[in-house]
């Protein structure tokens, strides 16, 4: 239940609603660029540059607008990657993913409502090129999501100065689309694929657009945080806490209290604990006290 601490706060729900609105706008604008306005006699070919720029500039704009409110994940794969590297709480991750999926469905539904029926087509549903196998499509989604999330981790790293996350992430999305639209439709985002799939009920190989981005995102986040730019201070604190938790003295045990801070964004950050000594011989004298104060916490 510690993971759900702080759920009923105004800041938490502002962040969740921010993810919903940001994803709604992003999907609405991005899918709108895939609509062909040509007639039956004069059909317009799909403009890869237009679609890539719309998705890329759209995500850059949403990151700039909502980054300080919710972190502007706008992508369940990004949220899961941050959860695996302990940069976001479990409660926030669950609510974020729900908000992102709901926002994507609402965005696709709004576009479907305002678009003439004869122009809707596939509504931007992501599909694997018929010349590719399912395995090739899965690998494509893994790679393009890897480069996106690695860019997110790098551009948002607090240790790096002179960073422009909105611009960097937007360019990453543009590059992914320019390369992969003809391969898989360039999802990189399970919510982006879920929205139009629900509205027009088209689920061809839809699982690829969940498994691929999630694998790519987790691998990218793990590679950045634990291989290329590891947080040595966190590792040292964790090592010291584990050593203190294992220490014993004659007739006494060392208690380590895990103190966690709760900032405005509702993220829980592991900090070093304070040490209290409990004398087992005096336990009879403490029966009247709250038993919770004598529980040996673990790290």
């Amino acid at each position: 239940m510690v993971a759900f601490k702080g759920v009923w706060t105004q800041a938490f729900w502002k962040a969740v609603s921010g993810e919903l609105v940001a994803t709604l706008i992003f999907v609405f604008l991005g899918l709108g660029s895939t609509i062909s306005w040509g007639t039956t006699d004069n059909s317009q070919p799909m403009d890869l540059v237009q679609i890539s720029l719309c998705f890329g500039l759209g995500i850059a704009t949403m990151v700039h607008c909502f980054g300080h409110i919710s972190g502007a994940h706008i992508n369940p794969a990004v949220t899961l990657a941050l959860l695996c590297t302990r940069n976001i709480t479990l409660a926030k991750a669950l609510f974020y993913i729900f908000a992102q999926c709901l926002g994507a469905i609402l965005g696709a539904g709004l576009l479907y409502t305002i678009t003439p029926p004869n122009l809707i087509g596939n509504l931007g549903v992501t599909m694997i090129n018929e010349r590719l196998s399912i395995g090739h499509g899965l690998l494509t989604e893994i790679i393009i999501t890897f480069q996106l999330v690695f860019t997110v981790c790098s551009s948002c790293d607090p240790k790096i100065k002179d960073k422009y996350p909105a611009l960097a992430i937007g360019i990453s999305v543009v590059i992914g689309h320019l390369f992969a639209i003809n391969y898989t439709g360039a999802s990189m985002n399970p919510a982006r694929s879920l929205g139009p799939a629900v509205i027009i009920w088209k689920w061809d190989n839809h699982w690829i657009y969940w498994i691929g981005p999630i694998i790519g995102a987790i691998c990218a986040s793990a590679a950045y945080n634990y291989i290329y730019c590891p947080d040595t201070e966190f590792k040292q604190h964790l090592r010291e806490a584990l050593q203190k938790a294992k220490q014993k003295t004659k007739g006494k045990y060392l208690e380590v209290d895990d103190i966690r801070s709760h900032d405005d964004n509702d993220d829980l950050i592991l900090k070093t604990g304070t040490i209290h000594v409990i004398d087992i011989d005096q336990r009879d004298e403490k029966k009247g006290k709250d038993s919770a104060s004598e529980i040996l916490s673990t790290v």
Side-chain angles (χ1 to χ4, degrees), residues 13-220:
W13 289 106
K14 279 184 178 180
V16 172
S17 63
E19 284 295 305
L20 188 150
V21 174
T23 309
L24 187 156
I25 297 174
F26 168 69
V27 171
F28 175 78
L29 297 177
L31 295 183
S33 67
T34 67
I35 302 297
S36 175
W37 285 82
T39 61
T40 304
D41 298 331
N42 184 23
S43 60
Q44 295 179 350
M46 182 174 59
D47 191 336
L48 299 184
V49 176
Q50 174 187 338
I51 296 172
S52 301
L53 287 176
C54 191
F55 274 101
L57 295 177
I59 199 70
T61 303
M62 293 302 101
V63 170
H64 178 76
C65 293
F66 291 92
H68 61 289
I69 298 174
S70 66
H73 298 184
I74 320 176
N75 188 336
V78 172
T79 300
L80 288 174
L82 295 178
L83 175 64
C84 291
T85 53
R86 303 181 64 183
N87 289 309
I88 187 174
T89 63
L90 176 61
K92 182 173 282 189
L94 293 176
F95 280 98
Y96 268 25
I97 292 174
F98 177 79
Q100 291 157 0
C101 292
L102 180 59
I105 295 172
L106 293 176
L110 181 59
L111 179 65
Y112 182 89
T113 301
I114 68 173
T115 304
N118 62 322
L119 299 179
I120 290 175
N122 288 326
L123 199 66
V125 171
T126 48
M127 295 182 293
I128 298 177
N129 192 303
E130 58 184 10
R131 301 178 185 179
L132 297 179
S133 67
I134 294 178
H136 291 152
L138 179 63
L139 181 60
T140 300
E141 285 296 319
I142 291 175
I143 294 173
I144 60 177
T145 309
F146 183 96
Q147 66 87 21
L148 169 62
V149 176
F150 202 93
T151 301
V152 171
C153 294
S154 176
S155 61
C156 297
D157 192 338
K159 299 187 294 293
I160 299 178
K161 299 180 180 179
D162 300 328
K163 53 192 177 184
Y164 304 95
L167 179 61
I169 295 170
I171 293 175
S172 178
V173 172
V174 171
I175 293 173
H177 278 78
L178 287 172
F179 165 75
I181 284 179
N182 287 328
Y183 285 79
T184 62
S187 174
M188 297 180 281
N189 186 335
R192 174 259 181 268
S193 294
L194 177 67
V198 169
I199 298 302
I200 67 172
W201 209 251
K202 190 175 180 64
W203 303 94
D204 296 348
N205 300 316
H206 182 75
W207 62 272
I208 287 177
Y209 300 103
W210 282 86
I211 301 300
I214 289 175
I215 293 176
I218 293 176
C219 290

Side-chain angles (χ1 to χ4, degrees), residues 2-3 5 85-90 92 158 231 233-234 237-238 257-273 299:
V2 175
K5 180 182 178 181
T85 53
R86 303 181 64 183
N87 289 309
I88 187 174
T89 63
L90 176 61
K92 182 173 282 189
D231 190 345
E233 184 177 347
F234 170 76
H237 285 327
L238 183 60
D257 292 336
D258 187 15
I259 300 178
R260 298 176 182 267
S261 65
H262 199 282
D263 60 14
D264 293 337
N265 290 328
D266 194 39
D267 287 329
L268 297 179
I269 303 174
L270 183 64
K271 292 186 176 181
T272 54
V299 178

